[in-house]
Amino acid sequence: MNYNWNWGILITEPYMGWIFSGLGWTLLVAISAWVIAFTLGSVIGIMRTLDQPILRAIGATYVEIFRNIPLLVQMFLWYFIFPELLPEEAGLWVKRGIPMPEFWTAVICLGTYTASRVAEQVRAGINAISQGQRQAARAIGLSPAQVYRYVLLPISYRTIIPPMTSEFLGIFKNSSLALTIGVLELTAQTRQIEEYTFQGFEAFTAATILYIIVTFIVMFFMARVEKKVSIPGVTSIGAK
Amino acid sequence: MIEMKNVSKWYGDFHVLNNCSTVVEKGEVVVVCGPSGSGKSTLIKCVNGLEPFQEGTVTFDGISVGESKTNLTKLRSRIGMVFQNFELFPHISVIKNIRLAQEKVLGRSEEEAKKRGMELLERVGLAEQALKYPGQLSGGQQQRVAIARGLAMDPDAMLFDEPTSALDPEMINEVLDVMVELAQEGMTMMVVTHEMGFAKKVANRVIFMDEGRIEEDCSKDAFFGDTRGERAQLFLSKILNH
Ligand SMILES: Nc1ncnc2c1ncn2[C@@H]1O[C@H](COP(=O)(O)OP(=O)(O)OP(=O)(O)O)[C@@H](O)[C@H]1O
Ligand SMILES: [Mg+2]
């Protein structure tokens, strides 16, 4: 193989700028999508643990739909099909009216998809809490909402920190699919550098290292959070 | 104070409570005993509506528990309950366990709730443990905190579901002592327990359950005398001999 290594490309403008702009978009997509995934996922997950059959059914349906359609297909559905299903003006607005329609489409797609996964974690976390614990919370006079607010949620969110960290890293990695609809995130920028300079190895190496660094930072930070909120005298809750 | 009339409950075909009726007067201490699976826990959980039932009525201080228009949350705040496995909230400190419902349900201020909480911790001998977390206490200590948590609501009655059966033998008395004191102060209590010493000391009445039925409901003296029925006799001889 006759390959001209040129690591210098990585610190040459405009390519260095492209890489960092790509990283910036990747983080922006991932974090914005996480806001949706966390809030919507929590709501859906909680709904699946409530007494009302209708709410449980809505939650279950949401999860089954969003978890089982391949993410790439969802990306195309949101981008190409969804605007066509809207009334004409609304569809046009989604396609052209809003600034950066690709970005928002990617955020909504990743957010709603990951929400279905977050919902399952939240549900599992709540269901792991013993029946006795819920009964004690009700017996003392807490309303159903207070039982969640002061007892079930604070306990379950602590126990699901590790899987939730994985879900966040999942969004971060899956954000590379946004390139298929034209978001110039890290992977897209890397490909662009390859096309312009034929230095694909260097560019992909740089991207890989950046993905790994961000992953480590997130894991380090979440391990700190987990330690900080750990409950004195308890090694694993829900083990009862 | 507590009145149960012809209460029946089924799980599918299984008749957990079969036509149960009893009355607990204000200030009375009633001990509920019977073999495992006889429906004791289910019976006392009907009092504060933790267990729904299909037939009959339960009233607490004249308020019907089973009726859908009853504000169960409010009613429950007037009835303390202590569980076999303590069920303190593990993620908050002992004093916060005791403050939580005082503040969120009764609307007391933080200072008020803390003051009342510390008084009760003092009373159960655990004032120094106020800032610890439940997981850092022994079983007996946790159960005393659980009693304090119930008392902090200034309840009209207390329900106990086998409060000492998850405890190591050496810790049973520290919990029973608190309960005896409470009984002597005139608290209305319904206590599921096999601690016959406790029953002899403070119970006014003993209820014996078997297969979902209240088989005996009599004064303590009648129960420990020789007027009790055959099954209760058999049950008593079993638990007194081990
Ligand atoms: N959710 C349920 N579904 C079906 N059966 C149940 C359920 N909960 C309890 N039971 C059954 O109801 C019966 C009465 O239960 P309960 O807990 O009231 O008994 P208990 O007298 O308190 O027994 P123990 O001394 O073991 O605590 C038991 O046979 C139990 O298996
Ligand atoms: Mg029981």
Side-chain angles (χ1 to χ4, degrees):
Chain A
M1 191 172 90
N2 223 335
Y3 187 79
N4 274 323
W5 291 97
N6 179 9
W7 291 100
I9 198 87
L10 297 176
I11 49 167
T12 310
E13 285 302 347
Y15 311 117
M16 187 168 83
W18 290 2
I19 287 183
F20 282 103
S21 138
L23 178 64
W25 281 108
T26 289
L27 291 173
L28 202 60
V29 168
I31 292 169
S32 318
W34 180 248
V35 173
I36 296 178
F38 186 82
T39 41
L40 183 61
S42 296
V43 172
I44 302 279
I46 290 169
M47 273 166 66
R48 296 199 70 183
T49 65
L50 298 176
D51 290 331
Q52 294 83 341
I54 297 169
L55 295 180
R56 295 172 81 107
I58 294 173
T61 310
Y62 180 94
V63 169
E64 291 314 321
I65 290 176
F66 283 87
R67 204 175 44 171
N68 291 323
I69 299 176
L71 183 52
L72 190 54
V73 174
Q74 292 191 34
M75 196 68 88
F76 290 153
L77 286 175
W78 280 110
Y79 193 61
F80 296 112
I81 313 292
F82 172 69
E84 306 302 331
L85 299 178
L86 296 172
E88 199 174 323
E89 278 178 29
L92 264 181
W93 183 77
V94 168
K95 280 189 273 190
R96 308 232 181 73
I98 46 173
M100 307 182 294
E102 299 84 7
F103 168 78
W104 289 111
T105 304
V107 165
I108 289 174
C109 174
L110 285 166
T112 49
Y113 165 76
T114 311
S116 69
R117 304 178 53 96
V118 166
E120 287 300 90
Q121 304 296 355
V122 170
R123 176 172 81 115
I126 293 171
N127 285 343
I129 297 171
S130 73
Q131 201 57 37
Q133 189 75 201
R134 294 153 189 267
Q135 289 194 342
R138 286 158 68 208
I140 199 131
L142 296 176
S143 68
Q146 287 175 326
V147 171
Y148 274 87
R149 165 72 184 78
Y150 297 112
V151 180
L152 299 181
L153 295 182
I155 297 174
S156 56
Y157 276 110
R158 281 175 167 87
T159 60
I160 61 173
I161 289 174
M164 291 286 260
T165 306
S166 307
E167 293 306 336
F168 176 75
L169 294 175
I171 269 197
F172 174 64
K173 281 176 264 185
N174 287 335
S175 67
S176 63
L177 285 180
L179 74 83
T180 59
I181 58 170
V183 178
L184 286 175
E185 47 66 69
L186 185 52
T187 305
Q189 291 286 15
T190 312
R191 289 196 347 182
Q192 185 166 289
I193 294 173
E194 175 181 26
E195 281 159 20
Y196 275 70
T197 67
F198 302 106
Q199 304 299 143
F201 280 107
E202 293 85 342
F204 276 106
T205 304
T208 306
I209 291 173
L210 286 174
Y211 277 116
I212 292 175
I213 289 175
V214 172
T215 299
F216 274 123
I217 292 174
V218 170
M219 285 185 357
F220 173 79
F221 176 73
M222 290 312 290
R224 293 277 298 259
V225 170
E226 194 181 0
K227 197 155 175 207
K228 184 143 199 294
V229 301
S230 73
I231 302 168
V234 174
T235 37
S236 80
I237 330 166
K240 272 201 260 202
Chain B
M1 175 123 276
I2 301 168
E3 197 173 333
M4 309 182 102
K5 254 196 216 139
N6 309 106
V7 175
S8 279
K9 177 182 172 83
W10 287 263
Y11 284 119
D13 287 342
F14 181 62
H15 212 164
V16 215
L17 294 180
N18 190 343
N19 209 21
C20 295
S21 302
T22 191
V23 177
V24 180
E25 300 293 346
K26 192 167 163 46
E28 235 183 347
V29 176
V30 173
V31 161
V32 181
C33 62
S36 181
S38 57
K40 306 177 297 289
S41 302
T42 311
L43 183 81
I44 67 164
K45 284 174 188 168
C46 286
V47 174
N48 61 356
L50 282 184
E51 290 282 1
F53 48 89
Q54 286 94 0
E55 279 178 13
T57 53
V58 177
T59 57
F60 181 84
D61 198 17
I63 302 163
S64 174
V65 177
E67 242 165 89
S68 57
K69 69 176 200 310
T70 302
N71 184 345
L72 265 187
T73 311
K74 179 124 188 277
L75 186 71
R76 286 184 185 130
S77 69
R78 298 177 52 197
I79 308 173
M81 179 146 195
V82 174
F83 297 80
Q84 182 170 358
N85 292 312
F86 331 129
E87 307 299 354
L88 295 175
F89 308 129
H91 62 294
I92 49 181
S93 64
V94 162
I95 186 69
K96 279 194 184 156
N97 262 274
I98 302 178
R99 273 172 44 199
L100 181 66
Q102 292 189 68
E103 292 172 25
K104 306 301 174 194
V105 177
L106 300 181
R108 289 182 184 159
S109 71
E110 186 182 328
E111 290 91 296
E112 250 181 307
K114 200 185 262 173
K115 184 163 163 284
R116 183 82 182 105
M118 287 311 296
E119 276 168 24
L120 286 160
L121 280 177
E122 196 82 51
R123 165 165 178 188
V124 299
L126 291 171
E128 331 76 68
Q129 316 288 351
L131 296 178
K132 286 202 179 154
Y133 283 73
Q136 298 172 310
L137 303 183
S138 73
Q141 291 174 323
Q142 288 187 57
Q143 195 61 300
R144 285 185 279 154
V145 172
I147 295 173
R149 178 175 70 177
L151 292 176
M153 304 296 282
D154 297 316
D156 297 320
M158 290 283 290
L159 307 173
F160 294 81
D161 190 4
E162 305 206 36
T164 57
S165 58
L167 296 177
D168 293 334
E170 71 271 19
M171 293 172 186
I172 291 179
N173 280 330
E174 65 190 57
V175 172
L176 286 181
D177 288 346
V178 173
M179 290 168 59
V180 166
E181 210 182 289
L182 205 55
Q184 284 164 349
E185 282 168 17
M187 176 63 79
T188 310
M189 293 161 74
M190 229 175 145
V191 185
V192 176
T193 185
H194 291 162
E195 293 294 332
M196 289 302 136
F198 172 80
K200 280 184 182 154
K201 204 174 208 169
V202 294
N204 299 102
R205 284 195 358 260
V206 179
I207 289 176
F208 172 74
M209 290 190 73
D210 197 17
E211 295 177 358
R213 259 189 294 265
I214 294 184
E215 292 283 346
E216 304 271 347
D217 183 350
C218 54
S219 73
K220 168 179 67 180
D221 294 335
F223 189 78
F224 291 110
D226 45 15
T227 54
R228 64 180 173 265
E230 212 174 298
R231 291 193 202 205
Q233 185 89 40
L234 193 69
F235 173 76
L236 209 55
S237 68
K238 268 191 203 147
I239 61 166
L240 291 181
N241 286 341
H242 78 211

